[in-house]
Amino acid sequence: MGVETGEVRRIELQPIHPPPGSFWRRRVFSTDHKVIARQFLWSGLVFLAIGGLLAMAIRWQWAYPGEAIPLVGRTVLPRSGGVIGPATYTSLFTMHGLIMIFFAITPILIGAFGNFCIPLMIGARDMAFPKLNMLSFWTFLVSQGLIIASFFVPLGPAAAGWTTYPPLSTNAGTPGPGQTLVVLAVFVTGVATIMGSINYVTTVIRFRAPGMTWGRLPLTVWGLWLTAILNVLFVPVLGAGALLLLFDRVLGTSFFLAGAAVPAAGDPVLFQHLFWIFGHPEVYILILPAWGIIGDLLSFFARKPAFWYRGTVIAMCAVTILSAVVYGHHMYQTGMSPLLGVGFEALTLAISVPAIILFLNWLNTIWKGSLRFTTPMLFALGTVFVFGLGGLTGLYLGTFLTDVYLHDTMWVVGHFHLTMAASSFLASFAGIYFWFPKMFGRRMDERLGKVHFWASVVLITLVFSLQLLVGYAGQQRRLWEPYQYTFLQHLYPLNKLTSHLAWALGIGQLVFVWNFFKSVVGGAKAGENPWEVGTLEWSLPSPPPHHNFDVVPLVVRGPHELSGPEVKERLGRDWVGQAEALPEAESAENVPPAAAIIASGA
């Protein structure tokens, strides 16, 4: 009786509201989670392009040091005649890292997919707090505006590295308003992230449809929900560090300043602790949604249930918990006690165990499956490959002794980009190609999608693997011109090749840009369920109506019921929806007690 009362209460929390009448309420200041998802997607894609262009400029400096950037160099760098100087280079890699992590991948993977997928996949009509959801996007947009503004102030944008370590990020290390604006932008985007995460956590707990137990949640929802929990717990730590750093820059405090000249000396290493207490969970904040998406897509397009679903969920939960206690491996070089270093080393190696379980489950899911090599499936497989490669290279950074040699080299850059950038990048495209029909009601061109995939996965693997190679050879990261050092001059041809491959990778993304805009305007109309899968969003029209579900669905099975003999026999197809009853097959004992109340719908 208590369970049934709870199910009734869940539905009562979600009345059907009429769609807004004005353009501004429908398209701009909308509380509809689907509109907000598209807003996050657009803003994330714009900053993905900006971050990518900054990366192209970095690679130019390493391929042709001292030469002017062709075509646009004299326009964007008029004082130096288009040549990238040391200060400009420092700003380039600082802003590239910050933009890609906080203002490109985060809004796409978490903002767009989280907003779009969570309500639809759990059978909800909207988020738990629609107005807070709208506010989270507009707060995030303010942070992006601060980032753009930082490029146009005297002395330019931030130049203290994406980690913004003091004393480099103090007024003494990086004078000018640009660094201040960027630190403020990080704080503001943290506020937006906390708003959205509170919404995600509450929505999954309170707004799941009747019968949508924790064991029936799609893996995508698990990934996004666990990410939201990490954001709620650890983004405030980054926010506190950013706020104290702002005080140091603007109010003259000395939380992170040390030395005899400072009356009340602080500790720069304190900021590193605050940053990495957030920063290492951030690695999993960005990869958990990718893991969830990949886990679902591999099952959908292998046409078989996800291998050991429960084990995958347990592994994701274990990673979420362990991510909070491994941050110290980023600080082996700060004078940390060897005893602490050994402890963090053990925890770091321990967290690889659930990651290996995930990887093996993915391989078992596709093993002997009836694979459909659609564009989303190809990007999912590409994500598995680059994540496996990046994970193996990370083991050398987790161990104390090898990290002493590799820590300040390009090995770290290659590992980080394979594990985070490449995996998140490819998983984002997998999600975009998969949910594009549901978002926009149209299909993306499959041929162009496959061209985009091969251009992306081959080139991104080569670029970051070559970074590993030069790092193993001893090239330090963050060097303006590595070839000033005699022992690195022989690496110039390898760096030049890497740059050319990186530019080819950037050009390859134009295929996606063309495909995306062409499909939004004139792509083939998408049916209700073009991929033939059973999660709840594919039971709705494309795109879904304002309130999603006329009747809140009753979920009777998990998300990966594919190729079951009984389903083929009774329905004549290899998939069945989560809320779809098999004719003359469902027994009363399989139907939750709430079945009697769903007919009301509201």
Side-chain angles (χ1 to χ4, degrees):
M1 187 67 174
V3 174
E4 189 167 332
T5 302
E7 301 289 9
V8 173
R9 180 60 182 150
R10 285 186 191 178
I11 294 175
E12 288 176 348
L13 288 170
Q14 305 179 63
I16 295 179
H17 296 291
S22 70
F23 169 81
W24 292 99
R25 294 293 295 166
R26 281 199 320 271
R27 300 296 182 189
V28 184
F29 300 105
S30 175
T31 58
D32 184 351
H33 71 98
K34 300 179 291 297
V35 175
I36 295 171
R38 289 192 287 269
Q39 289 173 327
F40 271 113
L41 180 62
W42 288 112
S43 62
L45 288 174
V46 168
F47 271 70
L48 185 64
I50 295 172
L53 290 173
L54 295 176
M56 299 300 104
I58 293 169
R59 292 310 318 186
W60 175 265
Q61 168 60 21
W62 280 11
Y64 301 100
E67 297 185 27
I69 300 174
L71 302 179
V72 298
R74 297 182 185 277
T75 302
V76 297
L77 299 172
R79 293 183 180 179
S80 63
V83 176
I84 298 174
T88 301
Y89 174 78
T90 305
S91 291
L92 285 175
F93 74 71
T94 295
M95 297 305 292
H96 165 70
L98 281 165
I99 285 173
M100 285 301 205
I101 290 171
F102 292 109
F103 303 99
I105 296 298
T106 294
I108 294 173
L109 264 182
I110 302 174
F113 294 140
N115 265 290
F116 189 79
C117 294
I118 287 177
L120 293 175
M121 297 184 91
I122 67 172
R125 287 181 173 140
D126 207 329
M127 286 288 183
F129 309 114
K131 291 182 180 178
L132 186 67
N133 202 24
M134 177 187 70
L135 188 60
S136 73
F137 170 72
W138 288 101
T139 304
F140 173 74
L141 203 63
V142 169
S143 71
Q144 287 189 319
L146 291 169
I147 289 292
I148 295 297
S150 72
F151 284 94
F152 298 98
V153 296
L155 301 181
W162 79 273
T163 54
T164 63
Y165 286 169
L168 285 174
S169 56
T170 63
N171 288 326
T174 311
Q179 182 76 51
T180 304
L181 286 172
V182 169
V183 174
L184 179 60
V186 171
F187 176 79
V188 173
T189 196
V191 173
T193 297
I194 293 169
M195 291 179 186
S197 299
I198 291 171
N199 232 336
Y200 292 3
V201 172
T202 308
T203 301
V204 174
I205 292 174
R206 298 289 292 140
F207 277 26
R208 283 173 289 125
M212 181 63 81
T213 62
W214 293 103
R216 289 174 175 170
L217 283 177
L219 293 173
T220 298
V221 176
W222 271 110
L224 290 164
W225 186 67
L226 293 171
T227 285
I229 291 173
L230 286 175
N231 273 329
V232 170
L233 292 175
F234 294 107
V235 169
V237 180
L238 175 68
L243 192 61
L244 295 178
L245 184 56
L246 275 174
F247 289 166
D248 280 4
R249 292 188 62 87
V250 177
L251 302 180
T253 57
S254 56
F255 291 105
F256 304 125
L257 288 172
V262 182
D267 185 1
V269 178
L270 171 61
F271 182 87
Q272 293 191 36
H273 282 284
L274 293 174
F275 182 88
W276 287 115
I277 286 172
F278 155 82
H280 198 79
E282 171 69 4
V283 172
Y284 298 101
I285 284 168
L286 293 183
I287 203 64
L288 277 165
W291 285 351
I293 290 169
I294 297 312
D296 279 337
L297 295 191
L298 292 177
S299 171
F300 294 156
F301 294 110
R303 311 310 293 177
K304 57 182 285 196
F307 183 85
W308 198 24
Y309 167 94
R310 182 174 296 181
T312 295
V313 171
I314 292 172
M316 292 169 73
C317 292
V319 164
T320 302
I321 295 168
L322 288 171
S323 70
V325 293
V326 298
Y327 81 92
H329 69 236
H330 295 276
M331 300 178 61
Y332 285 154
Q333 312 303 313
T334 61
M336 177 186 291
S337 161
L339 184 60
L340 273 177
V342 171
F344 280 118
E345 177 181 317
L347 290 167
T348 300
L349 296 177
I351 203 173
S352 65
V353 175
I356 291 169
I357 291 172
L358 283 167
F359 192 83
L360 293 176
N361 283 353
W362 295 337
L363 295 183
N364 276 286
T365 297
I366 61 177
W367 178 251
K368 294 186 177 179
S370 300
L371 303 185
R372 295 182 180 180
F373 292 106
T374 62
T375 303
M377 179 60 159
L378 290 174
F379 274 99
L381 293 171
T383 304
V384 172
F385 174 73
V386 296
F387 176 75
L389 185 58
L392 289 173
T393 57
L395 295 175
Y396 303 99
L397 300 174
T399 53
F400 200 93
L401 293 177
T402 49
D403 184 71
V404 171
Y405 172 76
L406 294 170
H407 178 79
D408 200 36
T409 70
M410 288 295 294
W411 181 280
V412 175
V413 179
H415 156 71
F416 182 83
H417 280 77
L418 282 169
T419 308
M420 285 281 296
S423 299
S424 301
F425 181 78
L426 295 178
S428 295
F429 284 121
I432 290 171
Y433 280 104
F434 182 71
W435 280 293
F436 186 93
K438 192 58 61 178
M439 276 189 179
F440 298 99
R442 297 181 181 274
R443 297 285 299 269
M444 293 186 75
D445 189 301
E446 276 286 300
R447 289 175 297 177
L448 289 176
K450 289 173 180 176
V451 171
H452 176 221
F453 164 74
W454 286 111
S456 297
V457 74
V458 172
L459 292 170
I460 208 168
T461 302
L462 289 173
V463 168
F464 299 143
S465 295
L466 289 176
Q467 288 182 342
L468 290 170
L469 191 58
V470 296
Y472 184 75
Q475 180 176 320
Q476 295 92 341
R477 46 185 171 149
R478 307 189 183 106
L479 292 180
W480 166 61
E481 188 177 336
Y483 322 113
Q484 292 181 340
Y485 299 90
T486 304
F487 79 101
L488 296 178
Q489 289 176 355
H490 70 288
L491 296 177
Y492 174 69
L494 204 55
N495 278 311
K496 188 174 182 179
L497 172 62
T498 306
S499 293
H500 283 277
L501 292 171
W503 297 330
L505 173 65
I507 293 170
Q509 304 317 301
L510 296 178
V511 177
F512 169 78
V513 173
W514 169 248
N515 193 2
F516 188 90
F517 284 101
K518 178 178 76 76
S519 301
V520 166
V521 175
K525 293 285 180 125
E528 184 177 281
N529 191 356
W531 306 119
E532 297 183 327
V533 295
T535 46
L536 295 179
E537 76 272 28
W538 300 106
S539 65
L540 297 171
S542 301
H546 175 72
H547 57 276
N548 294 344
F549 298 94
D550 294 331
V551 176
V552 175
L554 170 65
V555 177
V556 295
R557 59 178 57 83
H560 307 128
E561 299 294 330
L562 296 152
S563 298
E566 187 180 10
V567 173
K568 288 185 176 182
E569 178 184 347
R570 295 179 182 274
L571 297 179
R573 46 183 160 86
D574 69 345
W575 64 274
V576 60
Q578 283 193 269
E580 184 179 5
L582 292 177
E584 301 178 1
E586 297 290 350
S587 61
E589 62 194 25
N590 291 330
V591 180
I597 52 93
I598 65 162
S600 63

